[in-house]
């Protein structure tokens, strides 16, 4: 927790500065920030995310120097970046693959928070700011995906802006106001580019607030028990700077594998065809990180209901701190909730799988039947499966967690972080594993 | 503030009406200012004059053989002109509007030509799925009309929604017959 500052300026110049703008003090306090001594690798994703944001901003600003936001030139300008601009192939892939890595990290970071109860008091505001960051990230990624002006760009933009046409009465005017025309066109591309450039800086500001709130209340930890004594903490530097650096190195290796060997693995081949307003690709899918929400959208056969469910799936995250009322933060000590959490993760993956599938196709084959003299598979379709997992998704937040909050008996918890790490031994005894 | 305020003595006599005036005048100006600046910020996002002026297109119907469909771009969206076969017209007319999600007869979806007759062989509509705006594929789907590949909406031979998530029939653009064989859309 943020105690009084311990920074002492050593040099006259530093002292002079400290009296005028205590910026060195701010940095020093950041580095000495007392963190729980039992943080595991799940806690390195915050630092990884900060790096991801920097990577996107730097590569993005460079791409903007070569990109042309005009329907007749956009597609070609991106191909030019990949082929003709020195190292353009690297920077373009870095930005595209980087977006996927960013989402990979944010999902890990969020699942971490869900498991260790990081959204509970006093960290509700950290959590809500995190949800806001996630929302703006999704908007940024969607806008960015439109820019290369391929078939998926165009039709993705058409479908997503079509969501607004579901608003009763004013829907169509609202959609055309957003597009700046009757359909996705040049006006749309230009404003999407302007906003895609802007939003990452909004994210940066929100991250500032997120980390500020974090430093105000202190970090949670894998056992969810608050820090009680100085013994329970370690200085951020060097203990966690080194741990974070190691995690970042591993993360960058994975990033590099995609970047150099599989730059298109996470994309879609149809985006190498220039946008054509006359022809929709036979199978429209969003980027992988939106697939679960896409499955929720398609889980009901009604346009407005589908959209409301999809919005609800994100809205429910914002109010989670008030849905899960259980006093124990970490699910390590919640023998029932942890199983429901595990199923929740599985359901999220199933939703992703359904989002990628064609609704009427059979997902889980249970047998076969004859239709018009042809033998076809029968079983659970992607459509049914997405309904089942959508129900679980909402039930987890709206029924399971609130009910468990009232009835679940936690198992015995250690007295303190230090006890959990060292057992009952004295300080200085051999470090026991944190489990 | 305590008695030993450092304020000059003459301000102790407070003319509250003067403050009220300043408060209200500033507030009113601010509100008008926000509205005056806010509205242009909102309105600039809408359709620009040149977009609104994007004209109309003329289509020569004689170029479309029976069983064929012409696709033309109008206001950034495809317009379908389908020269329907007798079987398709029959199917479209046979559907009972009461069974439909967006009840409409086939005739209601046609526009009379210069001599006031309906021409059921030509179906003119905006080829945009009313779900989220994909372009449906012709001669496909369970009703042999159009099928939208995006989220599986099935339209019949009159372009009416029959199955799937789309809420409405495909739209009929404003159009008129210039001569008996040429239409003007827009
Ligand atoms: C650009 C995106 C984000 C960045 C750069 C970021 C950064 C950070 C950093 C540096 C930390 C401290 C280190 C750590 O605990 O890992 C942190 C903590 C936290 N973040 Fe984020 N974050 C982002 C997005 C999110 C999102 C989307 C959520 C959830 C919806 C979230 C929820 C939290 C919570 C609850 C904590 C407190 C963790 C704890 O102490 O247990 N963050 N974040
Ligand atoms: S856009 Fe046609 S079914 Fe969704």
């Amino acid at each position: 927790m943020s105690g009084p500052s311990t920074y002492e300026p050593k040099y006259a110049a530093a002292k002079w500065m400290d009296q005028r703008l205590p910026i060195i003090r701010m940095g020093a306090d950041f580095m000495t920030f007392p963190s729980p001594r039992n943080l595991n690798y799940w806690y390195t994703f915050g630092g990884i995310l900060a790096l991801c944001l920097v990577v996107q901003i730097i590569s993005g600003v460079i791409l903007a120097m070569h990109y042309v936001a005009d329907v007749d030139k956009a597609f070609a300008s991106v191909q030019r970046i990949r082929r003709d601009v020195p190292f353009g192939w690297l920077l373009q892939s870095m930005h595209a693959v980087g977006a996927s890595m960013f989402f990979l990290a944010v999902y890990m970071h969020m699942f971490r928070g869900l498991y260790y109860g990081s959204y509970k008091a006093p960290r509700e505001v950290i959590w809500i700011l995190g949800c806001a960051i996630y929302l703006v990230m999704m908007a940024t990624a969607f806008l960015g995906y439109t820019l290369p002006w391929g078939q998926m760009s165009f039709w993705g933009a058409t479908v997503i802006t079509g969501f607004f046409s579901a608003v009763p009465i004013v829907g169509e005017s609202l959609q055309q106001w957003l597009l700046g025309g009757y359909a996705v066109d040049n006006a749309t591309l230009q404003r999407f580019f302007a906003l895609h450039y802007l939003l990452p800086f909004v994210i940066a500001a929100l991250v500032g607030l997120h980390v500020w709130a974090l430093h105000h209340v202190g970090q949670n930890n894998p056992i969810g028990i608050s820090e009680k004594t100085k013994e329970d903490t370690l200085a951020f530097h060097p203990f966690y700077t080194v741990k974070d650096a190691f995690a970042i190195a591993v993360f960058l290796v994975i990033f590099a594998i995609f970047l150099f060997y599989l730059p298109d693995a996470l994309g879609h081949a149809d985006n190498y065809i220039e946008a054509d307003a006359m022809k929709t690709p036979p199978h429209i899918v969003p980027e992988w990180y939106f697939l679960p929400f896409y499955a929720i959208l398609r889980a009901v056969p009604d346009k407005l209901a589908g959209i409301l469910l999809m919005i609800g799936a994100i809205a429910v995250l914002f109010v989670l701190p008030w849905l899960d009322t259980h006093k124990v933060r970490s699910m390590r000590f919640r023998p029932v909730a942890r199983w429901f959490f595990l199923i929740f993760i599985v359901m999220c993956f199933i939703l992703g799988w359904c989002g990628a599938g064609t609704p009427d196709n059979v997902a889980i084959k249970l047998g076969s039947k004859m239709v018009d003299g042809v033998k076809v598979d029968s079983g659970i379709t992607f459509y049914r499966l997405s309904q089942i997992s959508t129900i679980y998704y909402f039930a987890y937040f709206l029924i399971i967690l609130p009910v468990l909050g009232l009835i679940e008996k936690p198992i015995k918890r250690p007295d303190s972080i230090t006890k959990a790490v060292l057992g009952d031994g004295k300080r200085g005894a051999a470090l026991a594993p944190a489990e | 503030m305590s008695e030993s305020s450092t304020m000059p003595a003459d301000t102790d006599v407070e003319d509250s009406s003067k403050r009220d005036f300043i408060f209200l005048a500033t507030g009113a100006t601010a509100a008008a200012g926000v509205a005056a600046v806010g509205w242009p910020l909102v309105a600039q996002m809408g359709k620009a004059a040149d977009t609104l002026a994007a004209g109309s297109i003329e289509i020569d119907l004689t170029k479309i053989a029976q069983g064929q469909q012409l696709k033309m771009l109008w206001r950034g969206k495809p317009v379908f002109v389908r020269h329907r076969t007798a079987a398709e017209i029959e199917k479209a007319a046979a559907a009972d509007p009461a069974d439909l999600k967006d009840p409409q007869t086939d005739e209601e979806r046609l526009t009379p030509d210069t001599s006031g007759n309906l021409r059921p062989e030509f179906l003119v509509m905006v080829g945009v799925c009313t779900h989220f705006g994909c372009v449906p594929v012709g001669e496909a789907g369970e009703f042999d009309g159009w099928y939208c590949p995006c989220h599986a909406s099935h339209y019949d031979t009159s372009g009416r929604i029959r199955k799937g998530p789309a809420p409405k029939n495909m739209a009929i653009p404003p159009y008129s017959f210039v001569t008996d064989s040429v239409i003007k859309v827009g």
Side-chain angles (χ1 to χ4, degrees):
Chain A
M1 256 158 274
S2 53
S5 177
T6 52
Y7 169 69
E8 299 268 5
K10 284 203 196 75
Y11 308 102
K15 196 166 174 194
W16 183 90
M17 190 63 182
D18 195 50
Q19 284 160 350
R20 286 157 182 83
L21 177 69
I23 191 166
I24 307 173
R25 175 180 299 276
M26 203 172 110
D29 289 348
F30 190 93
M31 292 315 256
T32 54
F33 183 76
S35 315
R37 64 187 291 174
N38 61 340
L39 296 185
N40 57 22
Y41 276 105
W42 290 102
Y43 281 76
T44 59
F45 284 101
I48 290 173
L49 283 163
L51 177 77
C52 284
L53 184 60
V54 171
V55 168
Q56 290 309 100
I57 289 179
I58 294 178
S59 59
V61 169
I62 295 172
L63 290 176
M65 297 176 187
H66 305 279
Y67 172 77
V68 188
D70 179 297
V71 286
D72 295 325
K73 298 187 181 137
F75 185 80
S77 78
V78 173
Q79 295 311 313
R80 182 180 163 270
I81 293 171
R82 294 176 61 119
R83 291 149 207 263
D84 298 341
V85 173
F87 288 99
W89 59 271
L90 180 72
L91 291 156
Q92 199 275 336
S93 292
M94 190 184 288
H95 197 73
V97 172
S100 278
M101 301 308 289
F102 203 159
F103 276 95
L104 180 71
V106 90
Y107 284 133
M108 297 294 212
H109 192 64
M110 291 167 76
F111 282 139
R112 181 284 316 263
L114 286 174
Y115 187 71
Y116 294 130
S118 302
Y119 47 85
K120 294 189 184 186
R123 297 185 184 82
E124 300 94 323
V125 174
I126 304 180
W127 174 259
I128 290 171
L129 284 165
C131 293
I133 292 169
Y134 176 54
L135 204 63
V136 183
M137 263 177 76
M138 291 201 286
T140 311
F142 158 67
L143 294 168
Y145 195 57
T146 310
L147 304 182
W149 208 243
Q151 274 288 65
M152 280 295 165
S153 304
F154 183 89
W155 291 103
T158 300
V159 169
I160 308 264
T161 56
F163 292 174
F164 292 91
S165 70
V167 177
I169 306 165
V170 294
E172 198 175 312
S173 330
L174 180 66
Q175 184 195 4
Q176 296 191 353
W177 176 75
L178 285 169
L179 296 177
Y182 297 99
V184 175
D185 214 329
N186 204 51
T188 319
L189 179 60
Q190 276 186 291
R191 66 188 56 187
F192 278 19
F193 180 44
L195 293 173
H196 181 67
Y197 208 133
L198 170 70
L199 289 189
F201 298 94
V202 174
I203 296 180
L206 287 170
V207 170
L209 294 177
H210 187 72
V211 175
W212 183 12
L214 178 81
H215 279 206
H216 185 68
V217 298
Q219 258 179 294
N220 187 29
N221 63 77
I223 61 170
I225 293 170
S226 303
E227 302 143 345
K228 288 171 190 142
T229 58
K230 211 164 168 291
E231 279 208 317
D232 288 344
T233 67
L234 293 172
F236 179 63
H237 178 73
F239 296 96
Y240 289 116
T241 44
V242 171
K243 192 168 186 135
D244 279 353
F246 180 70
I248 285 174
V250 173
F251 182 80
L252 287 181
V253 169
I254 300 169
F255 195 145
I257 291 172
F258 276 102
L259 182 54
F260 294 114
Y261 296 102
L262 303 159
D264 291 319
L266 300 168
H268 199 292
D270 272 308
N271 229 25
Y272 281 103
I273 303 169
E274 191 169 1
D276 180 354
M278 302 279 254
K279 193 169 173 292
T280 306
H283 188 56
I284 296 200
V285 280
E287 292 278 84
W288 68 267
Y289 37 80
F290 293 141
L291 288 175
F293 297 106
Y294 197 56
I296 291 176
L297 173 80
R298 296 193 298 183
V300 281
D302 182 81
K303 179 170 167 177
L304 187 59
I307 292 174
L308 290 178
L309 270 186
M310 194 179 64
I311 296 173
I314 295 167
V316 75
L317 295 174
F318 280 83
V319 290
L320 174 61
W322 295 275
L323 293 173
D324 178 4
T325 53
H326 203 279
K327 292 225 164 42
V328 172
R329 288 199 193 98
S330 174
M331 290 210 189
R332 273 194 193 174
F333 307 108
R334 298 183 58 186
V336 185
R338 64 189 303 179
W339 286 107
F340 282 107
F341 174 76
L342 205 71
I343 301 172
F344 174 76
I345 305 271
V346 172
M347 288 296 174
C348 288
F349 278 96
I350 292 180
L351 277 173
W353 183 39
C354 291
T358 304
D360 293 335
N361 286 3
V362 172
I364 301 172
K365 194 183 155 196
L366 298 174
S368 55
K369 60 180 179 203
M370 299 298 281
V371 176
D372 298 337
V374 188
K375 199 167 147 221
V376 295
D377 290 347
S378 69
I380 304 173
T381 57
F382 280 112
Y383 183 61
R384 270 285 166 270
L385 198 59
S386 64
Q387 290 182 326
I388 296 167
S389 34
T390 300
I391 290 170
Y392 188 87
Y393 182 97
F394 283 99
Y396 178 76
F397 290 113
L398 299 175
I399 300 170
I400 297 171
L401 286 181
V403 170
L404 287 183
L406 297 175
I407 61 171
E408 187 182 16
K409 290 242 180 331
I411 58 172
K412 193 179 172 302
R413 282 157 296 147
D415 298 331
S416 71
I417 294 175
T418 305
K419 280 258 172 67
V421 176
L422 300 182
D424 285 327
K426 290 263 167 341
R427 214 185 155 182
L431 281 177
E435 267 293 338
Chain B
M1 284 282 153
S2 63
E3 287 298 296
S4 61
S5 161
T6 51
M7 275 205 246
D10 57 3
T11 59
D12 284 352
V13 188
E14 172 179 300
D15 179 355
S16 66
S17 69
K18 213 179 211 169
R19 287 205 180 153
D20 286 351
F21 172 76
I22 289 173
F23 178 73
L24 286 173
T26 312
T29 312
V34 167
V37 176
W39 178 243
L41 291 186
V42 172
Q44 58 78 24
M45 290 272 285
K47 293 181 279 269
D50 59 339
T51 308
L52 284 169
S56 45
I57 50 169
E58 290 199 356
I59 299 170
D60 182 355
L61 299 176
T62 57
K63 299 259 167 70
I64 314 165
Q66 197 175 55
Q68 265 193 342
Q69 169 177 293
L70 180 79
K71 254 201 261 185
M72 298 254 301
L73 211 56
W74 173 69
R75 293 180 169 175
K77 292 177 188 172
V79 164
F80 290 169
V81 183
R82 181 159 179 86
H83 191 160
R84 297 190 289 184
T85 61
E88 286 171 346
I89 298 169
E90 203 179 307
K91 253 190 162 167
D96 179 1
D99 294 343
L100 303 178
K101 196 172 186 178
D102 180 10
Q104 233 182 359
T105 61
D106 190 44
E107 289 191 353
E108 282 168 349
R109 297 175 56 75
L110 303 171
T111 301
D113 66 9
T114 47
S115 41
N117 300 321
L118 289 182
R119 302 275 295 274
E121 65 273 32
F122 291 108
L123 178 66
V124 183
M125 60 186 182
V126 180
V128 169
C129 178
T130 57
H131 186 223
F132 294 130
C134 293
V135 179
V137 187
E139 289 167 78
E142 287 176 23
F143 297 85
D144 300 322
W146 285 264
Y147 172 73
C148 180
C150 289
H151 316 96
S153 284
H154 301 255
Y155 296 88
D156 66 12
T157 55
S158 185
R160 292 171 298 197
I161 179 67
R162 300 299 285 270
K163 186 181 168 202
K168 288 210 152 60
N169 302 335
M170 274 190 262
I172 306 295
Y175 74 96
S176 57
F177 281 82
V178 183
T179 70
D180 273 351
S181 59
V182 176
I183 58 165
K184 187 171 152 223
V185 179

